[in-house]
Amino acid sequence: MRDHGGNLDGAIARFGGHAGDWVDLSTGINRRPWPVPEGLPAEAWRALPTRTALRRLSDAARAAYGTGAAVLPVAGAQAAIQLIPRMTRPGLARVLSPTYNEHAAALAAAGWRVEEVTASDDLPGADLAVIVNPNNPDGRVLPPRQILQLAGRVGRLVVDESFADPHPACSVAARAGEAGMLVLRSFGKFYGLAGLRLGFALGAEHDIARLADMAGPWPVSGPAIAVGSAALADRDWAERMRRTLAEDAARLDDLAAGAGWHLVGGTSLFRLYRVPDAGATQQRLARGHVWSRIFPWSDDLIRLGLPGPEHEWQRLVAAMNAM
């Protein structure tokens, strides 16, 4: 089932209010976004993106992610997830699960035989294997050494690092392209600008060239190029944000513990808790106009992103106290 967070319109239909009344914690998108400067260059809106501008964005991503691999900007990591299954003839794909459900869905839609496995030791032998690292929704992290060992034991290894920005030590971006490994990065989650629809595929030159042919001549917009290039170069903001998010994650864990919730895992962009009844907990929070994420495959797990401004924290505290 392709269920997702961010479905705030559904919450509003059920529990009332307007979008501005709600704190949407159903995604792992940073609610302390990178400050987009006013007045983007007019050419970003009026002209088709040039190869020079796309190259500048790719260079910024290459530097930010610490890689010498070829880089393709795409309209969010989701765009790459949908393209990769079509790179080669379908075969056997294995996805380390439970995880972000679009990987298995996109592979199945392209004709792959998909096996969802629960241990990394079950991945070898697949024509294509997928690891989300850190994992969504439980934050499980496979060490880079283990991932690199797996890369040589599958036909192609896709490592989705959409939540890796706060945790750079877990990244294998520096080794993208080796043994057919493709690494995906999301811009919108850490930088809090998901509406920009920007992400990157990192890999060997021939793989990235194939993806570029499939994506077409203008894979991302002019505004995405302008904002992405500037944000990725802002290393001071990124370092400060990593510290802030780690502090916020600890604050959320303290609130959850006080409510009797048990921490299962997470990253510095979201936390996963075990509660007696996930559906009932989500509904109680929703009555306080706080939206959360639950899962069709579990009746006792709930995931929350991190509030941003202080008024969002206070809204969450009030909703939890009313439970």
Side-chain angles (χ1 to χ4, degrees):
M1 182 182 297
R2 297 171 95 156
D3 68 296
H4 302 284
N7 53 340
L8 187 60
D9 49 355
I12 292 171
R14 290 178 62 192
F15 299 99
H18 303 280
D21 302 327
W22 284 76
V23 179
D24 186 2
L25 305 183
S26 67
T27 75
I29 298 166
N30 185 3
R31 296 186 66 82
R32 302 181 185 271
W34 184 77
V36 177
E38 295 185 7
L40 288 179
E43 291 304 301
W45 298 100
R46 298 189 310 199
L48 288 171
T50 64
R51 292 182 180 178
T52 299
L54 282 166
R55 221 170 9 248
R56 185 170 63 249
L57 175 59
S58 295
D59 289 344
R62 194 176 290 110
Y65 300 143
T67 185
V71 175
L72 176 68
V74 289
Q78 180 64 41
I81 290 169
Q82 292 177 221
L83 290 174
I84 288 170
R86 295 160 42 204
M87 291 178 67
T88 56
R89 181 177 300 176
L92 171 63
R94 291 180 177 145
V95 180
L96 189 57
S97 302
T99 193
Y100 181 56
N101 55 52
E102 284 292 332
H103 285 285
L107 286 160
W112 288 77
R113 179 164 58 91
V114 180
E115 295 179 356
E116 298 187 55
V117 301
T118 58
S120 60
D121 289 344
D122 295 327
L123 295 172
D127 300 301
L128 184 151
V130 178
I131 298 171
V132 179
N133 201 58
N135 190 46
N136 173 18
D138 61 5
R140 177 203 62 231
V141 171
L142 294 186
R145 186 191 321 183
Q146 185 175 350
I147 292 174
L148 295 171
Q149 290 172 345
L150 286 167
R153 302 171 67 192
V154 299
R156 183 189 308 284
L157 180 62
V158 178
V159 185
D160 183 344
E161 295 187 346
S162 289
F163 290 100
D165 288 79
H167 311 282
C170 77
S171 175
V172 293
R175 307 283 294 273
E178 296 183 14
M181 184 168 62
L182 284 169
V183 176
L184 309 184
R185 298 295 291 244
S186 168
F187 173 85
K189 292 180 177 63
F190 178 65
Y191 290 89
L193 300 170
L196 204 63
R197 305 310 306 136
L198 178 61
F200 301 92
L202 288 56
E205 290 281 355
H206 63 278
D207 283 336
I208 296 304
R210 170 69 175 138
L211 285 173
D213 286 344
M214 297 167 68
W218 304 290
V220 295
S221 69
I225 293 172
V227 173
S229 298
L232 288 166
D234 193 347
R235 306 297 175 76
D236 290 340
W237 180 90
E239 285 302 317
R240 291 195 305 271
M241 186 51 58
R242 289 185 182 105
R243 292 193 295 270
T244 296
L245 290 172
E247 293 167 359
D248 285 350
R251 181 180 179 181
L252 185 56
D253 288 346
D254 287 343
L255 285 175
W261 301 359
H262 299 284
L263 178 65
V264 174
T267 72
S268 291
L269 287 168
F270 62 82
R271 312 301 283 169
L272 184 70
Y273 303 105
R274 178 163 283 111
V275 296
D277 185 326
T281 301
Q282 183 186 54
Q283 290 184 32
R284 294 187 190 108
L285 289 174
R287 294 188 188 102
H289 287 174
V290 173
W291 194 227
S292 56
R293 177 81 191 279
I294 59 175
F295 305 93
W297 43 267
S298 173
D299 59 7
D300 64 353
L301 293 178
I302 188 166
R303 194 193 72 184
L304 272 70
L306 308 184
E310 185 59 29
H311 70 86
E312 295 187 351
W313 285 94
Q314 295 309 313
R315 173 68 64 82
L316 175 60
V317 169
M320 293 178 74
N321 287 340
M323 292 173 62

